Amino acid sequence: MSATHQWLVSALSRAATLVPIGIGLTEAVGLPRSSQIGKAMLLLAWILPSVTGLGVLTGAAPNPVMVDFLTGAGQVQVGYVDWPLYWFPYTVLFSIGLYFLATRLFRFEFPELPGGSDYIAPPP
């Protein structure tokens, strides 16, 4: 990988920033981390950066490496604008699939977060 790609933020570091947000959201509504919603939020905070990193060329470190391999093998040149045309549909499908997996795998204790509407500002 060239030196120009060393500045890329890895999916692991994005997940590391999302996990405390998930913990904070869970604790803000007064739920323990071991609740089903807390477990689902932490699981999705861990895996979604990897899934969404597929949709943008600089979204994950392996993406430019794959472009370099394709170019070296004599395949078509894939540019920054071309990459989402190929991979963004998969990102959307994987994200929707993860949503259904999380909502079916974890049976939430209640249909709505207790006190959740208090954190959302009413429309003007």
Side-chain angles (χ1 to χ4, degrees), residues 11-101:
L12 179 63
S13 61
R14 286 192 307 264
T17 59
L18 287 176
V19 167
I21 293 171
I23 292 171
L25 286 172
T26 305
E27 291 177 353
V29 293
L31 295 173
R33 292 183 201 172
S34 61
S35 68
Q36 294 298 312
I37 290 178
K39 290 177 185 178
M41 285 176 63
L42 289 178
L43 176 70
L44 291 176
W46 170 67
I47 199 166
L48 273 175
S50 297
V51 170
T52 56
L54 291 174
V56 180
L57 180 59
T58 55
N63 297 351
V65 174
M66 182 176 166
V67 169
D68 189 44
F69 284 146
L70 290 173
T71 305
Q75 301 295 322
V76 294
Q77 179 67 32
V78 178
Y80 193 82
V81 177
D82 299 327
W83 185 269
L85 294 175
Y86 298 125
W87 285 101
F88 190 72
Y90 293 107
T91 301
V92 171
L93 288 174
F94 291 156
S95 298
I96 292 170
L98 280 173
Y99 167 77
F100 284 109
L101 181 67

Side-chain angles (χ1 to χ4, degrees), residues 94-118:
F94 291 156
S95 298
I96 292 170
L98 280 173
Y99 167 77
F100 284 109
L101 181 67
T103 55
R104 302 307 185 268
L105 186 63
F106 297 101
R107 297 290 176 197
F108 300 143
E109 295 92 349
F110 30 78
E112 186 176 308
L113 276 176
S117 60
D118 296 338

